[in-house]
Amino acid sequence: MSAITGYTSRLLAAAMLLALAACSTTEIAALEEPTAAPMTGQTNDPAPGFENVAAGSEEDFILNVGRRIYFKQDSATLDSVAMATLDNQAAWLNRNPTWLLKLQGFADDSGSASKMQTLSQKRADAAMAYLASKGVDPKRMWAKGYGNDREVRDCTDRSCKVQNRRVVTNLRTEPDAA
């Protein structure tokens, strides 16, 4: 009896393998995924799926310029990496003068709530002052510090905390309501 059951199991497994081998998923994949645009081999080729991002759009700003800068602990001083990002932001904003921007400052949990609130506002103000020094009209910008209320990551590791010490530049079409 067990020899017949074993034979039947093997026969069933072989039939299933033959059925799977006959299946083709290329037709299904072609329906689910659009074909990628041809690549020219240039380093500035858009990433697959981002070929149709309009110049001057919010997506263009996020993908091609960058909207975050980071700070050392207990500091609102812009380092060279932050200044390079802000230089790119200023150039883009000067080419796209219809956008308004809200600079949101954040802090980690390395001090009291009031200290982190003040520090996050100083960070946002520093970014705004730098952009203004690069020709971005100050009337297009406003800064808001949030302290450590909106942490990206809740962690104790130093390399993780740096993600919370940031300023995020958000594009707007109109000022925030008061």
Side-chain angles (χ1 to χ4, degrees), residues 25 39-40 49 51 53 64 69 72 82 84-86 94 96 113 144 150-151 161 163 177:
T25 59
M39 300 294 279
T40 64
E51 299 88 357
V53 172
N64 298 315
I69 59 172
K72 292 182 179 173
T85 299
L86 291 170
N94 287 328
N96 298 283
K144 172 83 171 132
R150 299 181 183 184
E151 291 183 321
K161 284 186 172 224
Q163 296 173 46

Side-chain angles (χ1 to χ4, degrees):
M1 188 92 162
S2 66
I4 294 174
T5 306
Y7 177 75
T8 305
S9 295
R10 284 190 293 261
L11 187 62
L12 182 58
M16 289 172 61
L17 284 173
L18 284 173
L20 284 173
C23 292
S24 173
T25 59
T26 56
E27 295 162 359
I28 295 170
L31 293 174
E32 293 177 354
E33 295 181 30
T35 56
M39 300 294 279
T40 64
Q42 301 297 312
T43 57
N44 61 350
D45 281 342
F50 295 100
E51 299 88 357
N52 298 320
V53 172
S57 67
E58 188 171 9
E59 292 83 5
D60 177 40
F61 182 79
I62 293 167
L63 290 170
N64 298 315
V65 177
R67 63 184 203 150
R68 288 183 177 84
I69 59 172
Y70 298 93
F71 295 84
K72 292 182 179 173
Q73 186 172 346
D74 297 324
S75 175
T77 302
L78 300 169
D79 65 13
S80 61
V81 175
M83 287 188 274
T85 299
L86 291 170
D87 287 341
N88 290 336
Q89 288 182 6
W92 190 93
L93 290 161
N94 287 328
R95 285 192 312 270
N96 298 283
T98 57
W99 286 106
L100 305 176
L101 56 150
K102 179 179 185 178
L103 296 149
Q104 297 177 294
F106 301 95
D108 61 18
D109 59 358
S110 61
S112 69
S114 64
K115 179 182 173 189
M116 294 299 100
Q117 173 66 37
T118 300
L119 180 59
S120 67
Q121 185 65 49
K122 286 181 181 179
R123 288 173 174 164
D125 290 340
M128 189 167 77
Y130 189 88
L131 289 170
S133 78
K134 297 296 180 176
V136 179
D137 184 352
K139 295 176 190 160
R140 295 172 58 194
M141 303 183 276
W142 63 99
K144 172 83 171 132
Y146 290 93
N148 61 352
D149 286 345
R150 299 181 183 184
E151 291 183 321
V152 172
R153 307 261 317 263
D154 182 16
C155 55
T156 56
D157 188 46
R158 186 175 146 221
S159 63
C160 175
K161 284 186 172 224
V162 72
Q163 296 173 46
N164 294 322
R165 300 189 300 262
R166 68 199 187 283
V167 168
V168 179
T169 303
N170 288 299
L171 300 179
R172 299 283 196 263
T173 56
E174 57 187 53
D176 287 352

